[in-house]
Amino acid sequence: MNDKNLEAAESLALINRMIENTRCRLNRNSGRPFLVWGYTTVGISLFNYFVNITGSPVGWSLTWFLIPVVGSLTMRLFPAKKSTEPHTEIDRILKAVWMTASLALIPVFVFTVFHGLSYRTSILGLITLVMAIATAATGRIIRSKIYAFSGYAGLALSMLFPLYDRYLKHLPAGTVDAGMLSFEIVIFAAVFVVMMIVPGHIFNYRSKRHV
């Protein structure tokens, strides 16, 4: 009986050690991907907002697809320092979480392509929701308050999209212009500032303090 208790205790200690190692490594390196993807998303979002309010051709909306391209290239061109610590099962789980979240964006884009601009608010809200879920799940898995809080903040802020859409629908006919329709893009950018950019700078600040 004592042997079984000892094995259980050792297993729990091993799991806790893997979680702690992964959490410490992510706390050191997470600022970079958060800032890369955060600034890329915000920059291209604001560019599309400017394109919409100036009445530019609809074809410019294809620049949304630059987000994964620019983000991926930046991550590859400026890679993080390789860690000497071994990767654990927790790392594999986190990789699976973010891979699933990324793949979930594909049907979201397909919905928009087939349903047109009437689903534009939905796509921005759904993208925010998917990324927030992945961020919050990461925080819960590695027990990181910053990850969890930024993820839950993203979940809460994703409700702004249907609320803003409802607000526009209750305005008198003819009063909604291109600027008001496109303001949802500003909301999208602001959410990513809260969910990605601010936590990214916090991670970097803490990492530099512990160097």
Side-chain angles (χ1 to χ4, degrees):
M1 188 69 175
N2 290 333
D3 290 340
K4 290 184 178 180
N5 290 335
L6 183 60
E7 289 177 2
E10 290 176 345
S11 296
L12 287 174
L14 177 60
I15 293 171
N16 287 329
R17 190 160 60 249
M18 285 194 302
I19 292 174
E20 183 62 22
N21 289 341
T22 303
R23 185 179 67 81
C24 291
R25 185 169 62 253
L26 287 178
N27 284 342
R28 288 196 302 270
N29 301 323
S30 287
R32 176 176 153 275
F34 263 56
L35 292 175
V36 168
W37 290 104
Y39 276 114
T40 300
T41 301
V42 170
I44 293 177
S45 297
L46 294 180
F47 173 78
N48 273 272
Y49 174 71
F50 175 77
V51 165
N52 286 356
I53 64 174
T54 54
S56 300
V58 179
W60 281 103
S61 62
L62 293 175
T63 53
W64 282 108
F65 293 99
L66 287 176
I67 292 178
V69 175
V70 174
S72 298
L73 284 176
T74 305
M75 293 290 288
R76 287 183 176 275
L77 290 174
F78 303 98
K81 294 180 180 178
K82 290 186 178 180
S83 175
T84 56
E85 299 173 1
H87 282 231
T88 65
E89 182 68 12
I90 303 299
D91 292 287
R92 189 193 67 78
I93 293 172
L94 292 178
K95 185 176 181 180
V97 168
W98 283 98
M99 179 62 71
T100 303
S102 300
L103 292 176
L105 296 180
I106 296 175
V108 172
F109 281 112
V110 172
F111 292 157
T112 305
V113 169
F114 284 99
H115 288 285
L117 294 178
S118 62
Y119 275 66
R120 186 174 56 185
T121 303
S122 299
I123 187 175
L124 296 179
L126 287 172
I127 291 172
T128 302
L129 190 61
V130 170
M131 293 294 101
I133 290 172
T135 303
T138 299
R140 295 305 300 270
I141 292 170
I142 66 171
R143 301 171 188 172
S144 168
K145 292 181 179 179
I146 299 176
Y147 265 115
F149 179 80
S150 59
Y152 288 130
L155 286 172
L157 293 173
S158 67
M159 292 186 288
L160 291 174
F161 295 98
L163 291 175
Y164 184 69
D165 187 51
R166 182 178 177 82
Y167 164 74
L168 292 181
K169 288 178 179 178
H170 282 77
L171 292 177
T175 60
V176 179
D177 57 16
M180 296 179 71
L181 285 173
S182 300
F183 188 72
E184 66 202 15
I185 300 177
V186 177
I187 297 174
F188 181 71
V191 172
F192 268 78
V193 169
V194 174
M195 190 169 64
M196 293 285 182
I197 294 178
V198 172
H201 283 294
I202 293 175
F203 278 125
N204 275 359
Y205 175 72
R206 288 190 172 186
S207 178
K208 289 176 181 178
R209 285 186 60 187
H210 289 86
V211 171

